[in-house]
Amino acid sequence: MAKTKIKVKELRDYLKTLENKEMINELVELFKTFPDVKEYYLAKLKPEYLEEILEDYRKVIVDEFFPARGDGKLRYSVMKKAISDFKKISDDSVHITELMLTYVEQGVKFTNTYGDIDERFYINIENMFNNTLDYIVKNNLENQFRKRCKKAMDNSSGIGWGFADSMMEIYYSYFNE
C-alpha cells in the first residue's frame, strides 16, 4: 500500500475537474473493481437486500466461533472488522446491534460448548457486551434487545474466571431490574 496519502480536499479538487460522464465512469470502475463499493451501493440502492448483507456479516462472526469444518479460530480482529465494515455500509442501529449481540451470544455459546477458555477470550466478550449495551442505550433500543441481553447474561452463569459475574455487572449497570 502506498505510504503517500491524499487528502479529501485533493480528491474533491480532482473530482471537480471531471465532466459528469467521466464522474459516472469513475464510480462504475470503482463499483466493478472493489467488492466493498459494490456492497455499499447494493445497500444504498436496494435496501431490501440489507438483511441478506447483514447475514453475510453475521456468518463471518459465527464462523469464527463455529465454522462448518474444524475448530473456531477466534480471531477477534476479524469479528470486530466485520462489525466495523458493516457500519461503513449501513447506519441502521438495529442491524449493527444484531451483529454486536451475535458476537456476544456466540462467545457465550462457545465457552458453554467447549468449557473454560482463556482470560483474553473472556475480556473480549465482556468488552463487546459492554460496548453492545452502551450502543443499545445510546440508540434507545432497550425494549427491542433487553431480553436477548439478559439471556446472554443468564447463559454465562457458572462460567469460570469471573466471567458470569462480569456479565451480570455489565448487564445491571445498563438495565436496572
Side-chain angles (χ1 to χ4, degrees), residues 90-177:
S90 174
D91 61 357
D92 185 303
S93 58
V94 171
H95 288 121
I96 292 167
T97 303
E98 284 286 337
L99 281 180
M100 295 172 80
L101 200 47
T102 295
Y103 184 121
V104 174
E105 291 167 334
Q106 294 300 305
V108 172
K109 180 179 174 185
F110 187 85
T111 191
N112 276 323
T113 301
Y114 295 107
D116 280 341
I117 314 299
D118 59 17
E119 185 178 15
R120 179 174 177 233
F121 172 85
Y122 295 116
I123 289 170
N124 269 281
I125 303 304
E126 291 164 10
N127 287 341
M128 184 56 70
F129 192 49
N130 190 65
N131 292 343
T132 303
L133 293 179
D134 189 59
Y135 188 83
I136 287 169
V137 169
K138 285 180 179 170
N139 288 279
N140 299 313
L141 298 170
E142 297 92 357
N143 292 336
Q144 200 165 345
F145 289 100
R146 179 187 310 254
K147 285 181 185 175
R148 276 181 65 192
C149 292
K150 185 169 187 334
K151 185 175 180 185
M153 177 201 66
D154 289 343
N155 288 343
S156 73
S157 178
I159 298 173
W161 293 78
F163 180 63
D165 294 336
S166 293
M167 293 291 282
M168 276 179 48
E169 185 179 315
I170 293 165
Y171 179 84
Y172 287 115
S173 71
Y174 287 96
F175 297 117
N176 298 320
E177 294 180 357

Side-chain angles (χ1 to χ4, degrees), residues 30-44:
L30 288 171
F31 182 85
K32 288 179 182 177
T33 307
F34 299 102
D36 290 348
V37 174
K38 188 175 278 191
E39 202 165 62
Y40 172 82
Y41 280 108
L42 177 62
K44 199 167 207 63

